[in-house]
Amino acid sequence: MIAIAAALPLAACSGDKEPVESLPPPPAETTCSADAAQGFVGQTVTPDVGAAILKATGARTLRWGPPRSAMTMDYRQDRVNVMYDDAYKIERVSCG
């Protein structure tokens, strides 16, 4: 009886279905061009400046980089990164 009870959960897992393959995410529709936003270096960080950087670079996502903060190293071709200092002055604009 115990052997049958132990086999029932395993029988539920076996089926005629094929395993689902993991597919990579589709490529992003937009890519970022940081060259277009280099004129924002030295400006003060504001929501309006962030919106202008998004528009200028063609990026879909903006990521602010405050001083001394940890950031993930994953690369996204549709993201613009804006690094700024303690005085909220933009130091660098890059994609990824």
Side-chain angles (χ1 to χ4, degrees):
M1 189 61 107
I2 294 176
I4 293 173
L8 284 177
L10 295 176
C13 292
S14 66
D16 294 335
K17 296 180 184 178
E18 294 182 23
V20 177
E21 291 185 31
S22 175
L23 299 175
E29 294 175 9
T30 57
T31 57
C32 174
S33 173
D35 292 338
Q38 296 309 308
F40 292 99
V41 173
Q43 292 190 23
T44 302
V45 171
T46 66
D48 291 336
V49 169
I53 290 172
L54 272 174
K55 185 175 181 179
T57 60
R60 190 179 344 188
T61 306
L62 181 136
R63 176 167 66 168
W64 295 110
R68 295 172 303 283
S69 65
M71 297 179 78
T72 61
M73 297 300 293
D74 63 317
Y75 181 81
R76 291 187 40 195
Q77 64 186 12
D78 66 334
R79 177 174 61 201
V80 61
N81 302 301
V82 181
M83 309 307 191
Y84 59 91
D85 63 13
D86 289 324
Y88 294 96
K89 298 291 183 189
I90 297 174
E91 294 182 321
R92 187 175 79 231
V93 178
S94 62
C95 293

